[in-house]
Amino acid sequence: MISKRHLLISLLLLFSILPLWAGCDTENTPSSLLTSISIPPQKGITLHGVIVDETNQPIEGVVVNDGLNFTQTDKRGMYFLKTDLSKSRFVSISIPAAFEIGSDEQIANGFYAPLSANEKVNRRDFILQKRKQTIDEFLYIAISDPQIKNEIQLERFRNETVSDLNETLSRYNDKETLAIVLGDMVFDQMNLFHPYKNALRQTSVKTFLHTIGNHDIDLSYNDFQNTADPSMGYGEKIYESHFGPTDYSVNMGKVHIITMKNLDYYQGKKYTERLTLPQLEWIKKDLSYIEPGTTVFINLHAPTSNKTGGNNNMKSTTLQLIEILKNYKVHVFAGHTHFYENAEVNPSFYEHNIGAACGAWWAGNVNRCGAPNGYLVTEVNGDNITWFYKATGKEAAYQFRIYKPGEFESQSEFIVANIWDWDNSYNVKWYEDGVLKGNMEQFSDEDQDYILMHGKAAGYKTNHLFRAIPSSNAKQVTIEVTNRFGKTFKNEVLL
């Protein structure tokens, strides 16, 4: 006869890869598996649980939140929260760097559990798997706006983005990889979340995090915060059933990673790009557990600090966000705009508004700014962060394109370079027949490749364009681009 002790050990081994709530749908609340651990009741507590490792040892100091309130586990691995179950839909834990970020068929999971207002006290337990060894080095892949609307676009995502990502990762000798998809996985078609996730399963990425985009919200509803009776439905509900809470944090290596919904959404695609005041408070509370000076990644759908593109930036609360983050080394990753723009807001706050995986909504192979369809590859080594943009279907060295004189219609006399990952640290030189002529002139205009793809000018002008006028007898022009990491890329054209 099997003893209770052996049965418990078997259950723990079975669930050692994922926390207890991995794969659970928000419609179903499974009963706790750690029934052998008794949690003493406390007055006013409506949410509690225990967090242990795969050997059933309690984990002290894990940060736990219900979307509004935060706490940490005690030496028994227990946590207690006075949760308003009419407002909180999930409990989530900020997985410590010493433990694996769980996944269910490559979708990040196991760091959250749905809550139920039908239970007077919600018990939600987690089992975490300890890393065999701590890591400082990993890849962080940022993908924005696959924005799949139909089977044709889904096939392009599989054959182009997914295929290219696998080829890129094959060059890194199985280095640990964490990916973030920055929203708009689908284009208002909630039924495409399942095939989208199936496409991700064709990659070699172990774990995908997700950010909600405006097109991932069910347009039949307001979002939760703007809904009087969420029991009748709310905009994020389908998204949450696939990916969990919209606001959460995890830790990997020396990096603290925060993901936030920055869309204030009303039924029928009416929305404002912003973080609400309660969300800013959430970030403050989350960071209160993080040592100042830590590298922090912030994942958003809409950017905060672009200088181009009109009204695509986050509204009203950007300065408050920057103030909250002032004591950390911050990289913001964002999408939404379908153009590429970097913003170094201050020495410790750098934003990457990267080009979309779908470019300009799968119309061709470029974004509105002329940046190719692609994704960002970020190499993390402790606190040292480097990156490059990987154009799908191109070599990693493809970091800019050249237009010969006459090819860029509004700049017919000039040779033009479009350098999508440009920031103020870049050096852009040009040579004529091997002789250095100096730095190219930066200017703002609408990219010619996008105009040709779109069929006409659309009005968006990018600032990562550079030009020079070659001599009438010049035979060859070489352009040399050096990025902030001292890496130089060269391209030459015959005139």
Side-chain angles (χ1 to χ4, degrees):
M1 184 174 181
I2 299 175
S3 69
K4 289 184 178 179
R5 181 175 179 273
H6 287 140
L7 179 60
L8 176 61
I9 292 171
S10 298
L11 286 170
L12 289 171
L13 289 174
L14 176 63
F15 287 92
S16 64
I17 301 301
L18 294 173
L20 295 179
W21 305 96
C24 62
D25 191 284
T26 57
E27 296 297 326
N28 300 298
T29 305
S31 59
S32 172
L33 293 179
L34 294 178
T35 52
S36 64
I37 301 175
S38 176
I39 300 177
Q42 293 189 16
K43 185 177 180 180
I45 294 299
T46 54
L47 170 62
H48 61 201
V50 61
I51 303 177
V52 300
D53 65 19
E54 69 272 27
T55 66
N56 203 31
Q57 294 302 303
I59 307 172
E60 184 178 3
V62 180
V63 177
V64 184
N65 83 88
D66 62 12
L68 294 170
N69 307 294
F70 281 71
T71 189
Q72 283 181 293
T73 52
D74 59 24
K75 63 183 180 182
R76 300 167 298 176
M78 295 180 185
Y79 68 90
F80 302 85
L81 284 168
K82 295 180 179 180
T83 296
D84 183 342
L85 294 170
S86 69
K87 294 180 179 178
S88 294
R89 310 189 297 287
F90 293 94
V91 57
S92 65
I93 63 175
S94 189
I95 296 178
F99 294 86
E100 301 278 359
I101 300 173
S103 62
D104 180 13
E105 296 187 302
Q106 293 162 279
I107 306 299
N109 210 322
F111 63 90
Y112 66 89
L115 301 176
S116 173
N118 296 323
E119 300 173 47
K120 186 176 180 180
V121 177
N122 281 229
R123 176 168 174 171
R124 301 293 183 262
D125 297 343
F126 297 86
I127 300 174
L128 303 184
Q129 182 179 10
K130 195 170 182 65
R131 289 183 175 276
K132 294 178 181 178
Q133 59 184 25
T134 57
I135 62 166
D136 279 344
E137 294 186 46
F138 63 95
L139 293 181
Y140 193 71
I141 306 294
I143 304 169
S144 92
D145 299 80
Q147 208 152 333
I148 297 161
K149 193 173 185 177
N150 52 47
E151 181 61 37
I152 294 173
Q153 294 176 358
L154 180 63
E155 192 66 15
R156 284 196 65 183
F157 179 67
R158 289 192 200 103
N159 293 339
E160 296 173 28
T161 311
V162 169
S163 175
D164 192 274
L165 181 57
N166 282 336
E167 185 177 345
T168 296
L169 295 180
S170 69
R171 299 170 186 160
Y172 282 92
N173 298 319
D174 297 321
K175 179 180 284 190
E176 183 150 357
T177 301
L178 181 64
I180 174 69
V181 186
L182 296 164
D184 284 1
M185 283 67 74
V186 299
F187 198 161
D188 303 326
Q189 307 298 313
M190 304 292 104
N191 62 308
L192 291 178
F193 279 133
H194 277 296
Y196 159 78
K197 292 197 296 184
N198 287 336
L200 295 189
R201 290 169 190 141
Q202 298 174 20
T203 74
S204 54
V205 176
K206 181 180 177 182
T207 305
F208 281 90
L209 304 174
H210 283 84
T211 310
I212 194 169
N214 49 293
H215 291 291
D216 302 318
I217 299 173
D218 188 337
L219 53 81
S220 300
Y221 300 95
N222 296 346
D223 64 13
F224 183 87
Q225 67 186 354
N226 294 309
T227 298
D229 184 4
S231 68
M232 301 300 291
Y234 59 92
E236 305 99 317
K237 189 172 184 179
I238 296 175
Y239 170 92
E240 290 174 348
S241 72
H242 290 280
F243 306 108
T246 58
D247 299 346
Y248 59 91
S249 69
V250 296
N251 299 276
M252 193 163 189
K254 293 183 177 180
V255 181
H256 184 62
I257 302 168
I258 298 173
T259 300
M260 302 295 293
K261 166 184 174 279
N262 65 342
L263 300 158
D264 193 4
Y265 191 94
Y266 288 87
Q267 179 182 9
K269 301 188 182 183
K270 302 180 187 73
Y271 62 89
T272 301
E273 298 94 337
R274 70 177 177 189
L275 291 168
T276 64
L277 294 178
Q279 286 181 299
L280 292 175
E281 286 301 312
W282 189 101
I283 296 171
K284 284 182 187 178
K285 293 173 184 177
D286 179 78
L287 290 175
S288 71
Y289 301 95
I290 303 301
E291 189 75 23
T294 299
T295 298
V296 175
F297 288 176
I298 305 283
N299 302 314
L300 305 171
H301 181 57
T304 70
S305 304
N306 281 341
K307 295 181 179 178
T308 68
N311 294 320
N312 290 305
N313 275 341
M314 196 171 80
K315 314 294 190 301
S316 70
T317 49
T318 296
L319 293 180
Q320 293 100 308
L321 177 65
I322 294 169
E323 176 65 20
I324 291 168
L325 293 163
K326 67 182 180 181
N327 294 322
Y328 299 90
K329 294 176 284 189
V330 177
H331 287 266
V332 175
F333 300 89
H336 187 48
T337 63
H338 298 259
F339 62 71
Y340 201 115
E341 185 170 337
N342 291 322
E344 191 166 14
V345 176
N346 60 52
S348 63
F349 190 106
Y350 193 104
E351 179 169 83
H352 311 259
N353 184 194
I354 65 172
C358 73
W361 303 274
W362 298 111
N365 297 303
V366 297
N367 285 264
R368 296 164 63 202
C369 64
N373 302 4
Y375 50 90
L376 192 72
V377 179
T378 305
E379 300 180 14
V380 179
N381 186 354
D383 289 318
N384 185 41
I385 313 297
T386 62
W387 63 86
F388 69 92
Y389 186 67
K390 177 62 178 67
T392 50
K394 301 286 186 179
E395 294 296 320
Y398 182 65
Q399 294 298 308
F400 67 98
R401 70 154 298 176
I402 297 176
Y403 296 94
K404 296 180 183 181
E407 291 182 341
F408 202 112
E409 188 173 344
S410 66
Q411 310 286 328
S412 59
E413 295 180 85
F414 293 85
I415 189 164
V416 173
N418 189 333
I419 309 169
W420 34 86
D421 194 34
W422 175 86
D423 63 29
N424 285 321
S425 70
Y426 270 55
N427 195 325
V428 184
K429 298 178 180 179
W430 72 291
Y431 298 78
E432 187 177 88
D433 296 327
V435 178
L436 176 63
K437 303 295 288 184
N439 294 325
M440 296 186 77
E441 176 191 8
Q442 186 179 8
F443 71 105
S444 177
D445 207 342
E446 190 159 4
D447 178 73
Q448 186 65 40
D449 206 5
Y450 172 75
I451 292 173
L452 292 174
M453 181 189 73
H454 188 60
K456 60 180 180 180
Y460 170 71
K461 294 185 178 182
T462 181
N463 62 6
H464 50 65
L465 296 172
F466 295 80
R467 65 188 178 188
I469 299 179
S471 303
S472 58
N473 60 349
K475 296 180 180 179
Q476 179 178 285
V477 169
T478 301
I479 296 176
E480 182 180 275
V481 174
T482 303
N483 68 14
R484 65 171 40 237
F485 310 115
K487 190 165 185 177
T488 298
F489 304 92
K490 290 184 179 181
N491 202 350
E492 58 186 37
V493 292
L494 299 175
L495 303 179

